[in-house]
Amino acid sequence: MPRCRQWRFNPNEVILAQTQITAACNALHNIEQRFCRWLLQTWDRSENDTITLTQEFLSEMLGVRRTSVTEIASKMQAEGLSGIDED
């Protein structure tokens, strides 16, 4: 068996590992850290540098109030960390 086959992952194993990491992240990190992780993961899977997500959608994905997402987005924008459009 070629050595490279040893590094192949079963897709189910990858999904399980991602689920475990997400559960740990949700338990251990604050909302701002989870928000940033969500943006980075979404950007990583995007085909370009612009991602379109509503604050309502992010609040649902993070399990927080929309106002919490608005506060974090405003803080990031004020610090120049993103080009978030609050429309």
Side-chain angles (χ1 to χ4, degrees):
M1 171 185 292
R3 281 189 74 100
C4 64
R5 284 192 177 184
Q6 294 174 2
W7 298 104
R8 259 191 343 186
F9 293 102
N10 178 329
N12 292 331
E13 291 174 351
V14 173
I15 292 169
L16 178 61
Q18 289 174 338
T19 302
Q20 291 170 330
I21 291 168
T22 298
C25 177
N26 290 342
L28 299 173
H29 297 123
N30 64 38
I31 297 168
E32 188 171 336
Q33 291 167 323
R34 292 175 14 224
F35 177 92
C36 292
R37 180 176 181 270
W38 234 97
L39 288 180
L40 286 171
Q41 282 187 317
T42 304
W43 177 75
D44 188 48
R45 290 163 176 81
S46 175
E47 293 182 5
N48 57 44
D49 285 342
T50 301
I51 54 175
T52 304
L53 302 170
T54 64
Q55 292 180 2
E56 182 67 29
F57 176 78
L58 281 171
S59 70
E60 290 176 15
M61 293 299 102
L62 296 171
V64 299
R65 296 175 296 122
R66 186 186 178 282
T67 54
S68 298
V69 171
T70 302
E71 290 170 10
I72 295 167
S74 296
K75 180 181 175 185
M76 288 180 68
Q77 191 172 24
E79 293 176 359
L81 298 176
S82 72
I84 294 176
D85 184 5
E86 295 189 28
D87 289 337

